[in-house]
Amino acid sequence: MGSRVNELRERRTLDDAGLRELLESSDPVLAEELRRNAREAADEQFGKAVWLRALIEWSNVCRNDCLYCGIRRSNRALPRYSLSREEILECCDRAWRLGLRTFVLQGGENPAAAEALAGTVAEMRASWPEAAITLSLGELPHETYSLLRNSGANRYLLRHETANPAHYARLHPAGMTLQHRLECLHDIRSLGFQTGMGMMVGSPGQTLDDLIADIRLIEAFRPRMIGLGPFIPQHDTPFGSQPAGSAERTLRLYSILRLMQPQAWIPSTTALATLRPDGRKAGILAGANVLMPNFTPSAQRQAYALYEGKARPDAEAVENLNRLKQELDTIGYYV
Ligand code: SAM
């Protein structure tokens, strides 16, 4: 019992049959063994500390039409917004004063707006020289990535979403390809960004083999950040009536990836916390080491409606930062 877990912890890899067993097994003892080992591996690297990143959802204007995503271009039910330069800087200021040292600007894919954002990124860099600036703006031309990097951004998150090209094609409209996504990831890394990738767990049509391919892709690419959360349907999308992904499977993936890449930054995601009230804590206990409280102004937060339930008012808001700290305290962790 648990020998697969020991092997994974020692060798930092496992064959497909082993991964399959860890993802599928209904044995609670094995599940607990996996979780405990992953948490121990995280404790060895990071102690009892959990890192906070200030999430700023800067715009929901998107040229893409990803079938799962609530801010997809075809969703006419959604009021569109982009935060102004002043609003972004205000969010950063609030976050900095509360002790956060990483700003994450996330938004729909919009190359012209991303290029225009470079000026704001440069201002952020000048005002907070010690802060990490993370971007998550989708697939952009090399020149735009380069401009943003030169403006002072130093991290970039681009989930690959699924490592199976056929599955990728099922989740995205014609014209979007896994190959281009991966080219962007290599481009981003070659520009010196700390790079993050990841996938949705339980997206429509995903098989266990797809998830194993995701793990292999991450294993080969070795990103510094691994962002993954459960798929959650959004009613104005073509996948609106599909079932949500499994929180338990998401947690097992946090644990497996922690054991494979002990030093990675792995956020316990908002999507997990949306599925399970104790999701944030459960994610940390499964080996995640990052939380991303939402600093988007509440007026706009409602409109960044990626999936059902996400816009629950203040679900992960700055107002709840103290509660977040208290929550971590109950499991022996601190910010
Ligand atoms: N446009 C950028 C991009 O494509 O990387 C960043 C924004 S995008 C909305 C951020 C992430 O949200 C996506 O990579 C996707 O994994 C996740 N997401 C979108 N719709 C979702 C859903 N219905 N359930 C769970 N996650 C979702």
Side-chain angles (χ1 to χ4, degrees), residues 127-197:
S127 301
W128 296 282
E130 288 144 43
I133 301 176
T134 306
L135 302 178
S136 180
L137 310 173
E139 299 175 22
L140 301 172
H142 173 81
E143 297 68 33
T144 312
Y145 285 141
S146 179
L147 175 70
L148 290 163
R149 176 83 185 105
N150 291 332
S151 303
N154 44 358
R155 300 179 183 167
Y156 203 102
L157 296 171
L158 183 69
R159 288 187 179 179
H160 65 279
E161 312 295 2
T162 170
N164 172 349
H167 185 221
Y168 193 94
R170 167 142 190 225
L171 300 180
H172 298 97
M176 283 183 77
T177 63
L178 177 61
Q179 191 192 337
H180 188 249
R181 197 91 175 160
L182 296 179
E183 282 166 10
C184 286
L185 274 164
H186 284 281
D187 196 11
I188 289 163
R189 183 156 69 183
S190 75
L191 285 164
F193 282 106
Q194 281 188 27
T195 306
M197 69 197 298

Side-chain angles (χ1 to χ4, degrees), residues 68-69 71 106-109 136-138 158-159 161 181 200 230-232 304 306-307:
Y68 46 83
C69 186
I71 66 169
Q106 195 194 78
E109 191 171 296
S136 180
L137 310 173
L158 183 69
R159 288 187 179 179
E161 312 295 2
R181 197 91 175 160
M200 282 175 296
F231 161 76
I232 303 178
Y304 200 79
L306 303 186
Y307 45 76

Side-chain angles (χ1 to χ4, degrees), residues 70 84 97 111 178 201 246 249 254 272 296 310:
S84 66
R97 281 191 281 108
L178 177 61
V201 181
S246 145
R249 184 161 280 181
Y254 288 166
L272 180 62
T296 313
K310 179 183 170 290

Side-chain angles (χ1 to χ4, degrees), residues 62-76 80 109 168-176 236-239:
C62 190
R63 69 171 172 181
N64 277 339
D65 224 10
C66 307
L67 277 75
Y68 46 83
C69 186
I71 66 169
R72 68 198 302 266
R73 188 183 65 214
S74 302
N75 182 4
R76 309 251 181 266
R80 301 286 168 166
E109 191 171 296
Y168 193 94
R170 167 142 190 225
L171 300 180
H172 298 97
M176 283 183 77
D236 291 314
T237 66
F239 290 157

Side-chain angles (χ1 to χ4, degrees), residues 296-323:
T296 313
S298 42
Q300 285 92 353
R301 202 181 300 160
Q302 305 282 336
Y304 200 79
L306 303 186
Y307 45 76
E308 231 55 67
K310 179 183 170 290
R312 214 172 33 208
D314 299 342
E316 205 175 351
V318 55
E319 297 82 8
N320 290 346
L321 210 57
N322 282 336
R323 214 171 63 198

